[in-house]
Each structure stands twice: as C-alpha cells, then as structure tokens.
Amino acid sequence: MKEKLKRFSEVSGFSGKGKILLVRKIVVTIIILCGMGLVAANAGSFIKNYVVERLELHSYEPVEISGDREVTQQFVAQKDHLWKAAVRLYTLDKTVLKGKIHAEIRDMDGKVVAEEERPCNEIHLTKYDDFTEFQFNADLKKGDKYVLAVRTEGSPKTDNLGVYMGKMTDEQKDYYGESTVYGKNSKGKDLRIRWVYQFLPLRSVGFMVAMLLLALIFTWLPMDWIDEKWGRKKFLPKRKASLNRIFGWLFMIATPFWCHIIMMRYYDFGLGAIIHQATRVPLVVLLNLVIYALVLWVFYVITNRTTVASSLTVLLFSICALGNYYVFQFRGTPIMFQDIYSLSTATEVAGNYTFQMDLKIIYSLVFTIAFITAALSLKMEKGLPWKKRIAGLLACGVVVGGFYHTLFNTDFLKNHDIQVKTWHPQGYYKRRGTALSFVITWTYNTIEKPKGYSVSAVESIAKKYPSDDVKKSSSVGKKSPNVIVIMNESLADLNVDGKIKTSTDYMPYIHSLKKNTIKGHCHMSIFGANTANSEFEFLTGTSMAFLPPRSVAYNSLVHTALPNFTTTLKQQSYGYNKAVHPYYGRGWNREVVYPLLGFDDFISMEDIPESKLDFIRAKYMSDQGDFNLLEEYYEKYRKSDSTTPFYLFNVTMQNHGGYDAAKQGGIDETVKITDPKLKDNQAELYLNLIKKSDDAFKQLTEYFQNVDEPTVVVMFGDHQPAIEDPFWNALYDGKSVDSISKEQQANRYITPFIVWANYNIGSEDNVDISANMLGAYTLDKIGANMTGFQKYLVDMHKEIPFVAGEFYMGDDKVLHRLEEKTKYSKKITEYQKLQYNLLADTKHTVGSFFNLKGASDK
C-alpha cells in the first residue's frame, strides 16, 4: 500500500518540490469547503419573491363590500408559501371609514388557513392603480385550490367601500377559479389581486453546490498521472504540452468570459440572459471582454503564470463587482470614475452601514471561489521568456492606446449609441456592462466648453449686471443682518415622492412657519450621497448639471481661491466667517477647500470638546447638539465683537445614511408609518430623525427670535435619503426607480428650504429654486450687496426657477431635460458660459463680475 501511495505521489507531482503543490491543493480544498459552508449558512437569505398579478382583459369596475358584505376568489397556489396578497380597493368617501376589513385564505373544505384584518380607515385609498396588502405568510400546497375571501365588518353601506373586478386574460385562467359576490357567482368577473409568493430557489442552490464540487474534483485530478497514462496509449494523439499547461491556457481564455458572468450576476443575469445580451448587443459585450482581457494580459506579463494571472483578474473584478453592488444598495447609484477621488470619505462612513449577504452576492462569490481554486490547483509553469514578455507588454500598451483613442477621441461610442447617462446610471450599467460603463465615465472628468464660449461673450453679459460697491449700505439699515446657513444632512420631506401616511406630522414646525419665512422646494443635483456637491452649488452659484457627472467639485475643481457666497459677505465686512461640521474634517477635502472659499476657520468634530459631542447614533451628532454649538459660537463672538455682523456656514450630520437601528443605535420613535404597504424600519427611523431636526430648528429659531439684532437663518437639505430599494418600490406602486416617470424622477431630487428671519422679510411658500440660486436669492431677500453674477442668478430665477442635475423648469412650469431645445435654451447656455469662465477658464475669469466692486479681484 505504501508503495502504491508513493508511486501515486510521484506521478501526481507531489514528491520533492511537488509538496508545495500538495499544500496548495489542501489550502484550495479548505477554501472550497468554506464556500460550501457560506452557501449553507446563508440559505435563508436566498428566499425570492414570485409575483402573480391579475391583468384585466377589459376595464374593471367597482363592487361594493361595505355593509358587512363579502366577495371571494378561487385561485391555484403557484408556490408552497403565500407571503401576501394585495387587493385593489376603492372608496368614494373622503371621510374616516368605519369598521374593519377582513381577508382570509380558506381551503376548499372551508377551513381558514390564514387571515388578517385592519381598520377600514387604514387602507390605502386612491382612485388610481393601487392595492391594499394583506400579509398572510400562509403555507399552502402548490397546485391545490384555495379561496381568498374579503369582507367588511361593522362597516355601514353608506361608506362606499368596495373592490375592483374584471375579466382575466386567457393565460391566467389556469390558476384562477370562480369568484362570488355576496354569495353568488360573479359571472366571469374576478378580483383584481396581486399575489406575492416566496420560495427557496433550490435549482440555484444546487447549481452553486455542484460548481464547488466540480472545483473540488478538478483540484485533485492527478494531472501528471493522466499525462503518463496518455503517453502510453498508442491510439491517442500525441501532445507536446502537458495537461497543466493546456488547462492553464484554457483558464486564460475563459477568464474574460468568467469576469463578465460574475459582473452580470449582480444584475440577476443568468447564463441565458447573458447569451441573449451577447446576441442583441454583441459590440457592447465585446468591449467589456476587451477590458477584462487587457487587465488579464497585464497580470500575465507581470507574473508570467497563466493560472496566477487568471486568478488575480477574476479576484479583482469580483471585488469591484461586490463593491459596486454595495455602493448601489447604499446610495442608489453605481460606482463611477469620479468616485475614486472620494474613496477616503467613503471608507470613513462605510462602517455605519449594514453589509448583508443575498443570493446575488453568494452566487458571484461561488463563481469566484470555484474558478480561482480550480486554477490555483494546477502546477504553475513558466510562460514567456523575458524578451517576449517585454514585447507583450509593449503590444498591450499599443492596444490600450488604440482602445483609448477609439473610445474617447473618436465618435465611435456616439455612432454606436453607447453611453452612460449619469442621472440614473444603474440602467446603463446593466445594459452596457459594468466594466465598459465605468470606463466611459472616465470621459466625464473634464468640464465641457459651452458652444459659442468666449471671454468677450462673458464680458458682454457682465456689463448688464454690475457688481455692488463694497461700501454700499445694506437695505436693512446700518446694521446688516447676521447670516447663518445650515445645510442639513439628508433633510427631506418624502411626501414630494409619494403620499406617506404617518401617525403624526414629522415636520410640524417647518410646515407651520409663515411669518417672516420664505420656504419651498430646493431642487438638488444629487441623490443619497456626494453631500459636498450641494454645498458647492449653494456657495458658488454654479450647477453640477454642467460639471463632470458624479464628480465631486471639492476634490477635482477647487485648487485656488474661488469667489462665492462667503467671500461676498466677507467683502462687506462680515465677521466670524467659519464653517462648522461635526464630523471628520478631512471628509470631502474640506480642510483644503474651505480656506480657498474664504472661510477664516473650519471647526470639525476633532475641534469640538468631547463633552459637547451629542451623538444621537453611531458617531453622528444630533441636530440639537449641533445647533446648541451655533448659539454658543454666536454668544462667544458677540462678547469679543459687538458690532460686526455674524456669518456661519454649518453642515449637519444627524440624518446621514445608514438607517439600521441595530447597527447605529435606535432613537425614540414617535412617528409611525400607518400605511402597511409602506411600512419600513429604515424609513420609519429616518422620519423620526427628521422630526428631531424639526424640533431642533424650532429651538434654534426661538433662540434667535429673542436676539436683539436682525438675524437670518437659512436651512436646506443636501439630498434625499439613501433608504434601500424596497421602500422606494412600494412608494412607486411596485415600480422600480428606473421605470417611474420623468416627473417622479425629478421629485427624488427635491429637499425643503427655509429662509427665516427675526425681522420682516415678507412671507412666501411653495417657492421652487435650486441650490445654485439659493445663495444669491438669500442675499437679495436680506438686501445685502451682491456681485454681478449673483444679480444674474436672481434675474435668472425669475425666468428659470431651477436648474439641477438633468432637468430645469421655466416660468411655463414645465419640466424640461437639459438637452431639450426650448425658448429657455439660450439662457441655459448663457449661464453655462458664465460658469465655465469661473471654474474652467480660470486664467481669464472676469473677476469684477464675481466679486464686489472695490474688493480685490480673483
């Protein structure tokens, strides 16, 4: 036996130096077994939803069920577990409904399998396509018939509460039976229902286990022994290369395809969908494969080992795909090239998010483990001699250069309609492939020169808007008002996205403000992340709409002193002039940028005494604690200077993303979402945070109301919150963000703004504006001196209320995309020229237009 084992060890390559291979195979085996354990441990997270929705062949009509009446619908169970059923209800009565609505699942013997009831006044009422959900969590038997019964109890007939019924399509008749209305056959009309079943995708689980088993079997194939046996068989063709070398090159060939499969698995693309994509848009798939192949070749030239190069390439793109998936889950957009500049900031806040496993992640990890372990189980044979490696590296450089030139210096992408729109890039990443889409966003790193731009054109515009003199008196009188600007992290009123029913108002104070208050909708250019861009827009008066998509201006644009809202106030003798942000100062490059924007000092979390760091969750300071500091800073300044007007710019942290109470810590939740359809733990926590912001703002304004000098407080949200997709899908009636209307898309970028004063500035409500105009708008309302550019923005706001992201709105109240040709296009291009002169053509910036007269030009 010993001799046989020794002989097997010799022919398998495990003797002598081959012991290293044996150790590697053992390690690989352990990794594969860990992969199997990963699948087993996360099996519970693989549960998928299977949705069956009733589609009417003809229009549907209402049938009343108020007055303790019942309707029923037979159905055939499509899976073994029914999670919930959503029934289309209606009411014509706008008053509070009485009684309760009861829904139950019965078997064909009349036994109740599951039931749920709720007060009639809690149902989701609408005249449009909407459903009221009943969560059953019922275990059924697939293929058996059951009955769904819906009735009211204690509901008077006068309440006009009912259900919608209509005829089904032919393909649905196999899983529907008869329906009844008040105990009688409904004559071919059926309830409007959406069924949501849940099931464990056993085929997927089995496929993953099988893939790992195949990798395990491959790992222990005795390649040298097979080579020896092959050589003895005279009837087999002779081979010059060993199996190790052959398989090594096969892994090399397979690597680009494997990388593409892993990337697309995160978009729920199975092998069939990937093949379909390759036949429908072959050029797109080919370009993705070229990117993978170029990276692979670089690794091969460096390592000179086929299996190592293949493994490194697959590992790299697997990590990129996983990172991209988590980023999308947290902020709603994929990784783009410009995000590289924000990597340090991203790592700071990453710990405040919850990283959960799901089927997509496990599937892709199994693909990665199976490929890499199988590849590394082979003997590592040397590849090319060094001269050929150098030639290969040069050839790779030529190919990369040609690839770059073709994509970025020609009309190749435009001619083939290959683009990535950055307003909602996730759809393009899915259709164009992650690797290609990411590379395309590289081209968005430079500011595009507007058509017809020239310095003389800017100077011509500037002549119409002369800057005020620094010595001009404020219209308030001898005493200029104190100015406090608060950009409140993730502050939003989600009712602009869809109606949310809550137990109590989550912004009662802000909603009630009228006297000496101007408020409305602030249209932003970002959603869920990249906070610094919103403050950049407010301060500079420029719009991210004309800057490289997904870029962060603080990282890539601000390298020298830049005229802005702060410098305008400084030029008219405002004091204090500090920025306050109760988080790490290095985030978004603020420590470098703020001095260039004219701030005299920057107070970050590191500068605040620990006793005053009122953390509400994780390391996020509460708005109440933040605003208490603002009051303290004001009082200290007044003791040292009793006459100079006070200016402070504050960026809060309380409402920052990562709304997982288990990870960041919970808060007292007085606000509850009463609509079962929208019930979501993250959304509910977020709304309670907003209620605390509202309370803190009330206390702040009450404090300054008692200050005996004119004071203005400006507050706006930087973007809407990055709550996870299920909530948004429910808010949009089951639609994904990619499929909602243009108007709904634009609403996702709305936050509230408030300009409050302790003296008479008038009152306005429902004002539409964008962050880039809000600073100038504020200066105009308080009668401060303004630069020519700020005057231009005030004038522009009258004609075009907002320009943000991909949209703008004219005084016709119609939403337009930037590329649309309208009567406003000339004004939009004119504004773009001014912005380009300030931010890009810095050698020829018209300083007198962007500074007050008499101040030192930029």
Side-chain angles (χ1 to χ4, degrees):
M1 187 66 178
K2 282 185 177 181
E3 290 298 320
K4 289 184 178 180
L5 287 174
K6 184 179 179 181
R7 176 59 180 160
F8 179 79
S9 178
E10 290 174 354
V11 299
S12 298
F14 296 153
S15 59
K17 293 182 178 180
K19 290 179 181 178
I20 297 175
L21 176 62
L22 178 60
V23 171
R24 194 163 70 242
K25 285 179 180 285
I26 293 173
V27 172
V28 160
T29 300
I30 293 172
I31 294 173
I32 293 173
L33 294 176
C34 288
M36 292 181 179
L38 183 70
V39 174
N42 290 277
S45 66
F46 298 162
I47 300 297
K48 298 185 73 173
N49 293 340
Y50 178 75
V51 181
V52 179
E53 186 168 341
R54 268 278 290 110
L55 302 174
E56 285 77 21
L57 189 60
H58 304 290
S59 61
Y60 46 86
E61 60 185 36
V63 174
E64 289 193 15
I65 59 172
S66 52
D68 297 352
R69 289 179 287 189
E70 180 182 82
V71 295
T72 67
Q73 177 69 60
Q74 285 186 12
F75 67 96
V76 178
Q78 301 301 297
K79 299 290 181 182
D80 289 328
H81 184 79
L82 176 64
W83 178 26
K84 57 188 177 182
V87 182
R88 177 80 192 283
L89 301 176
Y90 86 97
T91 180
L92 303 179
D93 199 337
K94 300 299 180 182
T95 61
V96 177
L97 299 173
K98 301 178 182 65
K100 58 186 177 182
I101 187 165
H102 186 96
E104 60 187 28
I105 303 293
R106 307 170 186 156
D107 61 21
M108 296 307 293
D109 295 326
K111 180 182 177 182
V112 176
V113 177
E115 59 185 334
E116 188 191 6
E117 62 181 32
R118 69 169 55 99
C120 291
N121 60 6
E122 289 185 5
I123 66 173
H124 198 77
L125 305 178
T126 177
K127 291 191 295 183
Y128 302 101
D129 189 15
D130 215 336
F131 295 84
T132 296
E133 291 183 343
F134 298 94
Q135 192 165 318
F136 293 114
N137 278 317
D139 291 322
L140 310 179
K141 186 175 180 181
K142 181 179 178 181
D144 281 6
K145 283 188 176 183
Y146 296 87
V147 175
L148 169 66
V150 181
R151 66 176 181 272
T152 55
E153 296 176 358
S155 169
K157 289 185 178 181
T158 54
D159 271 4
N160 294 315
L161 177 64
V163 296
Y164 281 106
M165 303 188 75
K167 290 186 177 181
M168 72 184 76
T169 56
D170 289 338
E171 62 267 24
Q172 293 177 318
K173 291 180 179 179
D174 291 338
Y175 51 82
Y176 274 97
E178 67 177 28
S179 57
T180 66
V181 178
Y182 320 146
K184 297 181 180 180
N185 191 290
S186 64
K187 298 180 180 179
K189 292 183 179 180
D190 300 277
L191 279 174
R192 180 85 190 274
I193 309 170
R194 180 169 62 232
W195 311 91
V196 184
Y197 296 91
Q198 289 186 325
F199 68 100
L200 179 66
L202 294 175
R203 185 181 299 177
S204 297
V205 175
F207 183 79
M208 288 187 285
V209 172
M211 184 175 292
L212 291 171
L213 284 173
L214 286 173
L216 184 61
I217 293 170
F218 184 86
T219 296
W220 290 100
L221 284 178
M223 298 296 179
D224 290 352
W225 180 80
I226 295 174
D227 274 332
E228 183 180 291
K229 289 292 184 182
W230 187 291
R232 293 178 182 177
K233 305 294 183 181
K234 295 182 180 180
F235 58 87
L236 291 175
K238 298 296 181 181
R239 289 185 286 105
K240 292 183 179 180
S242 66
L243 279 180
N244 275 284
R245 185 173 291 275
I246 292 172
F247 276 117
W249 281 104
L250 287 176
F251 274 107
M252 279 275 285
I253 294 170
T255 295
F257 299 95
W258 207 265
C259 289
H260 190 61
I261 291 171
I262 290 172
M263 286 286 194
M264 299 312 292
R265 277 303 308 164
Y266 283 102
Y267 300 111
D268 260 343
F269 273 46
L271 190 58
I274 293 172
I275 293 173
H276 176 71
Q277 182 194 43
T279 56
R280 187 171 54 85
V281 281
L283 180 61
V284 165
V285 176
L286 178 62
L287 290 173
N288 278 278
L289 294 177
V290 169
I291 293 170
Y292 304 134
L294 289 173
V295 174
L296 171 66
W297 188 251
V298 170
F299 278 133
Y300 177 64
V301 171
I302 294 171
T303 64
N304 206 28
R305 300 289 188 277
T306 55
T307 53
V308 174
S310 298
S311 299
L312 288 174
T313 304
V314 169
L315 180 62
L316 172 65
F317 283 107
S318 180
I319 292 172
C320 291
L322 179 62
N324 184 62
Y325 181 69
Y326 274 129
V327 167
F328 175 74
Q329 293 299 308
F330 296 150
R331 76 180 188 190
T333 55
I335 295 175
M336 302 179 73
F337 182 79
Q338 292 71 25
D339 291 319
I340 293 174
Y341 297 113
S342 309
L343 187 60
S344 61
T345 303
T347 55
E348 285 177 3
V349 300
N352 297 317
Y353 289 89
T354 301
F355 295 83
Q356 296 178 329
M357 292 285 191
D358 61 20
L359 182 59
K360 294 176 186 176
I361 294 174
I362 302 298
Y363 224 126
S364 298
L365 290 178
V366 166
F367 268 74
T368 304
I369 291 170
F371 186 94
I372 292 176
T373 52
L376 293 181
S377 69
L378 296 169
K379 273 187 178 179
M380 295 182 184
E381 299 186 9
K382 287 186 178 182
L384 303 172
W386 68 269
K387 290 184 178 180
K388 289 186 178 181
R389 289 170 67 187
I390 293 175
L393 188 61
L394 293 174
C396 182
V398 171
V399 174
V400 169
F403 189 71
Y404 178 89
H405 175 76
T406 302
L407 292 188
F408 306 139
N409 296 330
T410 70
D411 292 330
F412 178 82
L413 294 176
K414 182 179 179 181
N415 293 338
H416 292 88
D417 192 29
I418 300 174
Q419 59 179 326
V420 176
K421 288 190 176 181
T422 55
W423 186 256
H424 283 291
Q426 54 268 31
Y428 292 90
Y429 270 56
K430 182 176 180 178
R431 295 189 294 272
R432 309 303 186 205
T434 300
L436 177 61
S437 298
F438 177 81
V439 169
I440 289 174
T441 63
W442 189 359
T443 64
Y444 301 152
N445 208 33
T446 56
I447 302 176
E448 182 181 351
K449 181 186 287 190
K451 188 176 181 181
Y453 170 80
S454 68
V455 177
S456 60
V458 173
E459 291 173 335
S460 178
I461 300 168
K463 288 179 182 178
K464 302 175 186 177
Y465 300 92
S467 296
D468 289 332
D469 195 296
V470 292
K471 298 179 181 179
K472 178 185 172 184
S473 298
S474 165
S475 64
V476 177
K478 293 182 179 180
K479 183 73 173 177
S480 296
N482 301 315
V483 176
I484 297 171
V485 178
I486 302 167
M487 189 177 78
N488 198 302
E489 173 66 40
S490 298
L491 180 74
D493 186 347
L494 299 186
N495 272 302
V496 300
D497 297 297
K499 187 64 178 175
I500 301 175
K501 292 184 177 182
T502 55
S503 58
T504 185
D505 191 349
Y506 48 86
M507 298 176 73
Y509 180 67
I510 292 174
H511 289 155
S512 70
L513 282 173
K514 292 181 180 179
K515 186 178 180 181
N516 298 327
T517 301
I518 302 167
K519 61 183 181 177
H521 296 149
C522 194
H523 297 258
M524 315 307 292
S525 294
I526 59 173
F527 177 88
N530 284 5
T531 290
N533 285 342
S534 295
E535 57 186 276
F536 178 80
E537 286 188 319
F538 174 87
L539 291 168
T540 65
T542 60
S543 175
M544 296 303 299
F546 307 110
L547 296 180
R550 295 303 306 171
S551 64
V552 177
Y554 281 6
N555 290 333
S556 57
L557 288 177
V558 185
H559 305 298
T560 58
L562 189 65
N564 66 94
F565 182 88
T566 299
T567 57
T568 297
L569 291 179
K570 282 187 70 175
Q571 288 168 6
Q572 49 195 302
S573 301
Y574 268 76
Y576 198 71
N577 299 316
K578 294 184 181 182
V580 179
H581 178 51
Y583 204 59
Y584 298 109
R586 60 186 177 271
W588 298 124
N589 204 30
R590 287 189 178 100
E591 290 179 326
V592 174
V593 169
Y594 277 162
L596 297 174
L597 294 177
F599 290 105
D600 292 338
D601 196 9
F602 172 33
I603 301 172
S604 64
M605 183 172 69
E606 296 92 334
D607 305 310
I608 301 171
E610 189 173 344
S611 61
K612 296 180 180 179
L613 288 171
D614 179 26
F615 292 137
I616 192 171
R617 57 193 188 104
K619 280 195 174 182
Y620 297 155
M621 189 168 180
S622 71
D623 281 359
Q624 187 61 68
D626 185 308
F627 296 170
N628 287 342
L629 284 177
L630 305 191
E631 296 166 11
E632 179 184 318
Y633 296 152
Y634 167 75
E635 290 175 0
K636 284 184 178 179
Y637 179 71
R638 272 293 163 255
K639 289 178 181 178
S640 62
D641 187 330
S642 60
T643 58
T644 307
F646 175 88
Y647 165 60
L648 179 148
F649 182 78
N650 175 220
V651 179
T652 71
M653 274 303 292
Q654 173 186 285
N655 307 322
H656 195 282
Y659 307 106
D660 186 340
K663 190 172 181 66
Q664 283 86 32
I667 61 173
D668 295 333
E669 297 191 9
T670 58
V671 180
K672 301 292 183 182
I673 297 175
T674 58
D675 184 351
K677 173 185 173 184
L678 298 177
K679 196 75 172 175
D680 182 276
N681 290 337
Q682 288 196 11
E684 209 160 72
L685 173 61
Y686 169 77
L687 293 178
N688 280 276
L689 289 169
I690 297 304
K691 177 62 168 61
K692 288 188 176 294
S693 294
D694 186 79
D695 293 340
F697 188 66
K698 179 180 180 182
Q699 186 277 330
L700 181 69
T701 55
E702 287 176 347
Y703 171 85
F704 280 104
Q705 187 65 55
N706 295 317
V707 168
D708 190 23
E709 55 187 34
T711 302
V712 173
V713 180
V714 181
M715 187 170 76
F716 64 98
D718 61 341
H719 54 67
Q720 289 198 17
I723 300 171
E724 294 182 358
D725 282 351
F727 171 75
W728 296 110
N729 294 342
L731 192 60
Y732 298 131
D733 301 326
K735 297 179 182 177
S736 68
V737 173
D738 293 331
S739 58
I740 59 179
S741 68
K742 177 175 71 175
E743 288 71 24
Q744 287 174 310
Q745 291 279 13
N747 287 346
R748 283 168 59 83
Y749 292 79
I750 292 176
T751 69
F753 84 89
I754 308 101
V755 180
W756 174 92
N758 63 357
Y759 65 94
N760 185 16
I761 60 168
S763 300
E764 293 182 61
D765 202 353
N766 296 317
V767 175
D768 278 300
I769 200 167
S770 45
N772 58 312
M773 300 181 191
L774 183 56
Y777 181 85
T778 300
L779 294 174
D780 181 54
K781 290 300 178 181
I782 67 175
N785 298 333
M786 292 191 290
T787 67
F789 182 51
Q790 288 159 346
K791 290 180 178 180
Y792 177 89
L793 291 172
V794 171
D795 188 48
M796 180 180 176
H797 178 254
K798 297 172 184 176
E799 183 180 355
I800 303 174
F802 71 82
V803 178
E806 196 173 287
F807 300 104
Y808 68 90
M809 184 178 74
D811 52 14
D812 59 359
K813 302 298 181 182
V814 176
L815 189 67
H816 302 285
R817 293 190 182 275
L818 281 177
E819 64 269 19
E820 285 184 42
K821 296 297 181 182
T822 68
K823 64 179 181 179
Y824 307 104
S825 297
K826 183 178 179 181
K827 189 72 173 180
I828 293 291
T829 302
E830 186 179 78
Y831 169 61
Q832 188 180 3
K833 291 176 183 177
L834 299 178
Q835 176 169 315
Y836 185 84
N837 179 255
L838 175 65
L839 300 179
D841 193 10
T842 53
K843 291 183 179 180
H844 305 101
T845 296
V846 182
S848 60
F849 182 59
F850 296 101
N851 292 276
L852 293 180
K853 184 179 180 182
S856 57
D857 289 353
K858 182 189 171 197

